[in-house]
Amino acid sequence: MDHVVLTGDRPTGPLHLGHYFGTLANRVALQDSHTMYVLIADYQVITDRDLPGEIQRNITELLLDYLAIGLDPARVTIFQHSAVPELNQLLLPFLSLVSVAELQRNPTVKDEIAHSSQQAVSGLMFTYPVHQAADILFCKGTLVPVGKDQLPHVEVARLVARRFNERYGPVFPVPEAMMGVRPLLKGLDGGKMSKSRGNAVHLSATEDETAALIRKARTDAERLITYDEERRPEVANLLTLGGLCLGRSPESIAEEIGDGGAAALKRLVTEAVNEFLRPIRKRRREHTEADVRQVLREGNERARERAIVILDEVRAAMGF
Ligand code: TRP
């Protein structure tokens, strides 16, 4: 089937290997055969913090990450929320389609509130999943490659599409989520891999930074390396990371290391990660800041053209 693929990221910091194996690799594979939009979700940055921070810097770095992994701006429309007013305007009718109780039940939002350091929960925190539905539907997106934490949000987009169509006639396709098939990577400290926790290998990290981070990774004192997710989660995670980079099973790597202990494991994983990132680092260096700004200008323009058409259709369906 011919899909319109839409996905995106908040520009809050550099992308890491968890993102890569979770969703970025999928995007690169999909760009050949489908229409694709990649959103830099700048308005979504202020859901769980008061200020957008170094937003321009973060957007530039995110664009560099995209180009480095091989997204091709000639085929993929890369754009940002704040440059497409017609997308944002969809939030208004969409909010009328969901109840407050539904907004309060969203498990990802609840988790984010629980981990937030903000004094008060803003209205945007509860409504951003509906804004995200606008992200997906503004281009009549049909396929949304995301990590597991985003499934409740795709569910909101499906609900909004269905209810809009019921009330006003058929305008939107009902989008589907697409999950990465790869195992979930944890951070090198054993916790959730996160942009902000210092426990992730960034796609933009140098060889030395990568080596230092893996050297610090938590392991255990057993010399014989085995793949045992239950009993030895930190070792298993390193084996998974090495396996993903080498295209091999974690068990076969454990076998190869045998009783070499954590030091040999870390050496092997460091080399595997650095080898894997080499072409990505090289492509990153091939782009200047001026190039990436141009990519964004063109992407914003294309996204806006699409958004104008869809918003017109929405207004017509509603009788405005
Ligand atoms: N919420 C997503 C994240 O934090 C980013 C995002 C914004 C997104 N809009 C989207 C993802 C639309 C998929 C589709 O990672």
Side-chain angles (χ1 to χ4, degrees), residues 6-10 19 27 39-42 44 81 108 112 128 131-133 135-136 144-147 149-150 153-154 195:
L6 180 125
T7 186
D9 302 285
R10 300 183 200 203
H19 296 120
R27 297 185 196 173
L39 166 64
I40 297 180
D42 54 1
Q44 209 179 88
H81 274 146
T108 298
E112 280 165 351
Y128 90 82
H131 189 226
Q132 192 158 323
D135 298 344
I136 295 168
V144 191
V146 281
D149 64 316
Q150 297 295 303
H153 298 348
V154 179
K195 282 173 182 168

